[in-house]
Amino acid sequence: MAETTIQDILPLVEKPSRYLGTEVNRERKDPRRVKLRFALAFPDLYEIGTSHFGIQILYRILNDDPEIAAERVFSPAVDMAEQLRSHLLPLTSLETGTPLKEFDILGFSLLYELNYTNVLEILDLSGIPFAAKHRTGEHPLVVAGGPCTVNPEPVADFFDAIVVGDGETVVLKMARSWMKWRERGSEDRRRLLHRWARIEGVYVPSLYSATFDPSGFQQVHPKQQAPWPIRKALVSDLNRSRFPEAPVVPFGRPVHDRLRIEISRGCSRGCRFCQAGMIYRPVRERNPESLIRISEASVSATGYQDLSLLSLSTGDYGPLASLIEQLMRRHACHRVAVSLPSIRAGTLTPELMKWIRSVRKTGFTIAPEAGSQRLRDVINKNITDADILDTVGSAFELGWRVIKLYFMIGLPTETPDDLQAIVDLVQRLKGLRPRRGAMGNINVSVATFIPKPHTPFQWAPQVSVKEATEKLHWLKGHLGGPGIHFKWQNPHVSHLEGAWSRGDRRLGRWLEAAYRRGCRFDGWSDHFRYDRWLDAAAEQGIDMSFYTERERRTDEPLPWDGIDVGVTKSFLVKEWHAALHGEITPDCRTEGCSGCGICDFETITPVLASDEAFEREPDIPQGSETEDSENTLEIRFRKTGPARFFGHLEMANVFLRALQRAGVPVAFTRGYHPKPRIAFRDPLPIGLESLEETFFLAVTQTLDPKCVLHDLNRQLPEGLEVFGCSPAPPRSLRHGDSSITYRVALHTGIVDTDAIRRFQEQNQWPFQRRPRKGKPRSVDLRQLVEALVPIDERSFRITIRKQDGVTIRPAEVLRSVFQLEEVDVRKARITKETESGIRP
């Protein structure tokens, strides 16, 4: 019996395209031709991880080196993990299907503390011991990076090395150090770890000991002359840093399904609660000329039709209006829309407003964080009620219909009056109306404040779950009515995140205990089990309140004291005291240096893009789009192999981006939200292969069909192949009843010829269809199945008639006629072979 493979279990899981690894722009190298194999792991679902910009950067940087092969892996969904375990299969990389245990280095991106259990899941499914001290030369070195590493202590025992800060240069230094170590034939990992520890930004936990005083406070001590403190790695100028101009284009529906371009890194606003604003200092902006070039290369390489500008504070980018103008001028002919994730209150200038009128409108996000001016001064959120009202009013005027507001509860010094101020502010904003007088929608999202390391509020207590719940319920009761939608983050989730955010090395055993109790995907509401975390804490003697609800003294040792992010502790203390007195600290971008300590003004200094005028690009006409049949193409294609795991909408999206990359001038509908004029004849379900499918495509030019075939096939992923392109027949000849013949190959068992005979002997075969939507409907399979003919003992052909708008699939015949179990139905290989009665 053949050994089970990943491909065999894909029919049994949801969204199987997550696990294909055949995306456009992915790198697949021959392992025999490289010196280092590096697996980049993201401990969350594919749709989340593929939207993370950092992993795209590292993937491209590593693969640019011909001696290194970087591959990707994401946390398998719960159903996939169950299948891997039940079939005794290891977790593998996407590109080559290599078990993770066979890689040289396994690197995790740690963006969210509640992903830590997924780190253990990936290691467990790979047969890799959790603790670094239990791993040997048979296992990969396990490293980590990302914003969570600014307090690495809670997970220090699980990693051989941890990168703090910007990873672009560090990851290459670590990789090249590994290759030199291996070339010298050394098997002593300690030598390599000592070399890694000398790289700025690299923390090797095994070279440091953690001790605890009678009060329970952790201190870290270097061993064997290890460097101390660990200063973060910093890319001083993004313009000299590698940018992924051809990022991997994910399948399915990633959370950020668009081209994202990082226009700057860092923020100088100085919000006292914001960890990102502290640890990513100083501000470094990319030159607009570079961004234009990157956008053109990336649009061409990906086929995206949405382009979003990425930064902590997009509205603060110096030449933003000029940049948006040029992006829109250069990409208008390709129907690429420019979008802004958010605009900070008070940053809308008349020139920027002029161009924002033309960008694609989704939701307009603004984060007041606090309702009262007093509390906004405490957190150093330097915006006023007038700024907020003016910004929301301008957003309505510019065409936005949905405003998203973000607030926090439990901020230091918060009083009941501050909660009432949230209600009052929302009610005032509700009174504003979009243009043409329609009522706008205001979505209010409230989260519990979580004190974070390396911020002025790192000493603040976090409110208890009970207090947070009471405040949220009070707000919910006072924020209602038409046009206001209220949602909040689960206080239990916030409480757990707070414990991990400011935890110490003792929490490692808690993590393992929670994992053994089944905790996974803790940031997902449908998987979060707070009770299991509490049970694990009790088992391990962990007091969560020690890490969350007590106020810390400023002279208390902190677990992350040895991590130097550049912002000095004295500055944070000064800001903490300023907060308690309601004093604001101005933005150093405009008011001079605030003395945070990050800049030496020689090698490290803010890098601001100049607001020089661009050379104006002429407007590019988009051409006319007609309904003439000569401008509509009939394109025939095959969907086989891995492509059978695409859903219909997913496949349509794959084709649209391939057409964009191939330069095919697709015609669009008219109106406020133009759509590409493409129509597929028969939407195929996931898992079904086809030797001939058809879609009709309207184009704006007369094209050579041979060129379309050649150019389009070069852009399609494995399993999709275009083999026919011709002028489309008139609409009246494109549709009609037909018969479809399928070949069905069983994965297990043999064809039940007795079942075929019984079916053929019947005059009727009632079958109750249960669609996903709508009521069940009874159909007669005997009238719809024209032929059912065995081919051999494992396969047969079935011909099904389309009749009166009813189309049944072979899977329904397998269930009804052959009485197959669902797992056998899903594993059957079904191929659509021929379709008659349609072509003129």
Side-chain angles (χ1 to χ4, degrees), residues 22 91 138 151 190 215 232 312 322 356 422 439-440 497 546 590 617 648 667 680 702:
T22 58
L91 184 60
E138 296 180 355
N151 178 21
R190 292 174 297 178
S215 298
K232 78 171 182 181
L312 288 176
S322 299
I356 287 180
I422 292 176
M439 178 179 290
E497 181 183 343
F546 178 81
T590 57
E617 288 288 319
H648 172 66
F680 288 79
T702 301

Side-chain angles (χ1 to χ4, degrees), residues 181-328:
W181 169 76
R182 178 53 61 90
E183 285 172 1
R184 293 172 181 170
S186 177
E187 296 295 332
D188 187 354
R189 288 190 170 197
R190 292 174 297 178
R191 291 189 176 185
L192 174 64
L193 294 178
H194 276 283
R195 290 182 180 179
W196 275 359
R198 293 196 292 269
I199 300 172
E200 186 168 78
V202 178
Y203 174 48
V204 178
S206 62
L207 301 183
Y208 305 84
S209 61
T211 61
F212 298 88
D213 66 18
S215 298
F217 302 150
Q218 174 183 308
Q219 289 185 294
V220 177
H221 309 278
K223 299 184 293 187
Q224 306 168 20
Q225 297 183 331
W228 195 249
I230 307 299
R231 183 168 177 82
K232 78 171 182 181
L234 179 70
V235 175
S236 59
D237 187 350
L238 296 183
N239 294 297
R240 295 198 295 265
S241 179
R242 178 76 165 89
F243 190 92
E245 295 180 354
V248 176
V249 182
F251 295 139
R253 295 291 300 274
V255 293
H256 298 296
D257 196 15
R258 63 185 69 92
L259 176 63
R260 298 195 297 160
I261 297 179
E262 184 189 36
I263 64 174
S264 68
R265 194 175 299 178
C267 178
S268 57
R269 291 283 180 171
C271 297
R272 291 171 178 140
F273 61 85
C274 181
Q275 186 182 63
M278 297 293 166
I279 68 174
Y280 287 119
R281 291 187 177 202
V283 173
R284 291 148 288 161
E285 296 181 343
R286 294 186 191 273
N287 291 331
E289 295 84 358
S290 173
L291 293 171
I292 294 294
R293 177 186 54 78
I294 289 170
S295 75
E296 291 178 332
S298 298
V299 167
S300 176
T302 61
Y304 280 119
Q305 291 186 304
D306 291 274
L307 187 159
S308 182
L309 304 180
L310 178 67
S311 78
L312 288 176
S313 183
T314 305
D316 286 334
Y317 181 77
L320 182 60
S322 299
L323 176 63
I324 290 177
E325 174 186 358
Q326 288 306 307
L327 288 173
M328 296 181 70

Side-chain angles (χ1 to χ4, degrees), residues 53 63 114 126 180 237 246 352 356 438 481 483 503 520 522 576 704:
F53 196 71
N63 278 314
L114 297 195
S126 305
K180 288 182 180 180
D237 187 350
L352 185 56
I356 287 180
R520 311 282 193 281
D522 301 293
W576 171 234
D704 182 346

Side-chain angles (χ1 to χ4, degrees), residues 149-152 164-165 200-201 203 228-234 278-279 281 454 560-569 596-598:
T149 65
V150 295
N151 178 21
V164 181
E200 186 168 78
Y203 174 48
W228 195 249
I230 307 299
R231 183 168 177 82
K232 78 171 182 181
L234 179 70
M278 297 293 166
I279 68 174
R281 291 187 177 202
H454 304 287
W560 54 92
D561 275 343
I563 303 299
D564 180 6
V565 299
V567 177
T568 65
K569 195 169 186 177
C596 74
I598 185 63

Side-chain angles (χ1 to χ4, degrees), residues 12 16 99 162 170 176 279 291 293 325 369 415 425 450 501 514 577 645 655 703 745:
L12 307 179
I162 294 173
V170 177
R176 287 166 182 163
I279 68 174
L291 293 171
R293 177 186 54 78
E325 174 186 358
E369 311 294 1
T415 69
L425 178 59
I450 302 170
S501 176
H577 291 154
F645 295 115
F655 267 110
L703 304 174

Side-chain angles (χ1 to χ4, degrees), residues 27-101:
E27 291 268 357
R28 184 173 183 176
K29 296 183 179 181
D30 185 344
R32 297 167 298 180
R33 297 181 178 274
V34 298
K35 295 181 179 179
L36 169 63
R37 302 190 71 188
F38 201 127
L40 294 170
F42 194 93
D44 209 330
L45 293 179
Y46 175 90
E47 292 82 0
I48 307 297
T50 52
S51 297
H52 173 47
F53 196 71
I55 201 169
Q56 294 271 20
I57 293 175
L58 298 179
Y59 184 76
R60 191 57 55 204
I61 285 174
L62 288 168
N63 278 314
D64 279 349
D65 189 319
E67 296 183 320
I68 303 172
E71 304 186 32
R72 299 162 298 138
V73 64
F74 303 92
S75 289
V78 173
D79 61 343
M80 184 60 161
E82 290 175 352
Q83 291 295 332
L84 290 173
R85 286 191 169 94
S86 65
H87 290 89
L88 303 179
L89 291 173
L91 184 60
T92 61
S93 64
L94 288 183
E95 280 75 3
T96 61
T98 301
L100 298 191
K101 191 175 181 179

